[in-house]
Amino acid sequence: MGEISVGRQHLDRLLADSAGTYRAPYQRAFAELAETHRGQLTAETLPLLRRAADQALLEFTRADLREQAEAISIGEPYVLRVTVT
């Protein structure tokens, strides 16, 4: 399970169904990668997750992104604990 702190005013960067208007929410990018990259090598998915996180201006650690890429690779759910600041 990963963890991230996100300011209340930036939840739209993370959640695709938030009321915000941010154009590249990370949740949407993760879901798309989970559909298209299941069974792919973690090393192939990792840079795509990093790019999505950077576009959403989220500061995931490399370890968090690796865990996410591994979950996508094997088709398992990934739990992310979000702390709203």
Side-chain angles (χ1 to χ4, degrees), residues 18-38:
S18 70
T21 58
Y22 195 72
R23 66 173 185 78
Y26 187 77
Q27 183 182 31
R28 182 179 302 135
F30 181 90
E32 289 172 1
L33 287 171
E35 284 184 25
T36 60
H37 284 72
R38 183 176 183 176

Side-chain angles (χ1 to χ4, degrees), residues 71-83:
I72 287 172
S73 177
I74 60 177
E76 289 195 1
Y78 179 78
V79 177
L80 177 64
R81 183 177 305 187
V82 178
T83 303

Side-chain angles (χ1 to χ4, degrees), residues 3-80:
E3 294 184 40
I4 190 169
S5 294
V6 178
R8 185 173 311 281
Q9 71 276 18
H10 299 301
L11 277 175
D12 59 339
R13 295 178 183 177
L14 181 64
L15 304 175
D17 61 349
S18 70
T21 58
Y22 195 72
R23 66 173 185 78
Y26 187 77
Q27 183 182 31
R28 182 179 302 135
F30 181 90
E32 289 172 1
L33 287 171
E35 284 184 25
T36 60
H37 284 72
R38 183 176 183 176
Q40 301 287 331
L41 295 174
T42 298
E44 293 176 14
T45 307
L46 189 59
L48 301 174
L49 288 170
R50 169 52 66 199
R51 184 175 10 174
D54 290 347
Q55 287 176 345
L57 304 175
L58 295 171
E59 298 178 8
F60 284 107
T61 66
R62 180 164 176 80
D64 280 339
L65 291 174
R66 177 168 292 286
E67 286 179 5
Q68 292 175 40
E70 288 170 354
I72 287 172
S73 177
I74 60 177
E76 289 195 1
Y78 179 78
V79 177
L80 177 64

